[in-house]
Amino acid sequence: MKLTLIAIPLVLVGIYAFKNKKTPTTNTKQSIYDFVVKDLQGNDFDFSTLKGKKIMIVNTASKCGLTPQYKQLQEIYSQYKDSEDFVIIGFPANNFLYQEPGTNDEIEEFCQLNYGVTFPMMEKIDVKGKDQAEIYQFLTHKKFNKYKDSRVKWNFQKYLIGRDGQLEMVVDPKTKPNDPSVIAWITK
């Protein structure tokens, strides 16, 4: 009986500590424009070239129930890239049930063959956990993005960044890219 009374609180403390474990942050960037990342071909992609544009950053996966969102992403990119100075940046990630197992070459081929993706796609990264990429540390921590703390809930979560480089909206993965709220943000 005494062992049970001691064990239960210890288990509860352990569960609490595990659930509230903080991801270590290594980010030193103060602006989205400070980031230089690699694209699927291994080339540098400099976010400073996006100054003055509206940016949607989205974590993607090719074997997810939400993968058809690539179609809507491509549609809104094609429609608004010129008239609204809008760009989508895709970051493939294998953080949710191993739904992006492919190599960068396989991801690129999949995106082009199945969805005709022409928006910039970056190399595969981690969007959560101990190896979370610095750009996602920036996007998910208020102390960096000056907007709000968030966590990446699933594949196809969208981060909307205004023309001034400030994070303005975090869009749930299940919300489609062509949702009226997203289109209103792009066109405002």
Side-chain angles (χ1 to χ4, degrees):
M1 179 71 171
K2 285 184 181 180
L3 184 59
T4 303
L5 292 175
I6 293 172
I8 290 174
L10 287 175
V11 169
L12 292 175
V13 167
I15 290 170
Y16 176 81
F18 179 77
K19 288 184 94 173
N20 292 299
K21 183 175 68 173
K22 299 285 185 193
T23 301
T25 56
T26 57
N27 176 56
T28 58
K29 312 290 192 296
Q30 296 300 311
S31 165
I32 195 70
Y33 302 129
D34 294 336
F35 286 93
V36 177
V37 297
K38 297 286 185 189
D39 66 17
L40 285 177
Q41 297 83 33
N43 301 312
D44 285 345
F45 184 90
D46 188 343
F47 273 78
S48 70
T49 64
L50 303 179
K51 286 182 180 175
K53 293 181 182 277
K54 288 193 170 185
I55 306 166
M56 175 189 286
I57 296 177
V58 56
N59 60 304
T60 63
S62 61
K63 297 186 182 304
C64 173
L66 301 177
T67 299
Q69 285 192 23
Y70 268 123
K71 181 178 189 288
Q72 291 100 25
L73 288 167
Q74 182 57 44
E75 288 171 353
I76 65 170
Y77 178 67
S78 295
Q79 183 170 353
Y80 297 109
K81 68 180 179 172
D82 296 322
S83 65
E84 299 294 334
D85 275 335
F86 170 69
V87 66
I88 297 172
I89 308 295
F91 281 95
N94 198 32
N95 295 110
F96 300 99
L97 296 179
Y98 308 104
Q99 294 181 346
E100 187 52 271
T103 66
N104 288 334
D105 289 338
E106 291 167 338
I107 294 166
E108 182 176 30
E109 183 178 358
F110 173 85
C111 289
Q112 289 175 351
L113 287 176
N114 294 290
Y115 295 100
V117 167
T118 61
F119 57 85
M121 290 290 295
M122 302 303 113
E123 71 180 0
K124 187 161 69 171
I125 61 168
D126 285 320
V127 298
K128 68 175 197 162
K130 67 180 178 60
D131 296 321
Q132 184 181 45
E134 284 189 355
I135 194 161
Y136 269 82
Q137 291 175 24
F138 177 87
L139 293 170
T140 58
H141 291 82
K142 183 177 182 176
K143 68 180 177 180
F144 302 129
N145 66 46
K146 312 290 188 272
Y147 175 63
K148 71 187 287 186
D149 287 324
S150 66
R151 65 180 181 81
V152 183
K153 296 177 185 173
W154 199 256
N155 302 309
F156 293 91
Q157 184 157 311
K158 300 138 200 90
Y159 287 86
L160 307 183
I161 299 164
R163 294 183 198 287
D164 60 358
Q166 297 299 309
L167 180 61
E168 295 181 350
M169 237 172 119
V170 180
V171 181
D172 188 79
K174 290 182 181 176
T175 302
K176 292 184 178 179
N178 57 1
D179 184 85
S181 66
V182 176
I183 301 304
W185 176 83
I186 293 170
T187 58
K188 74 173 179 180

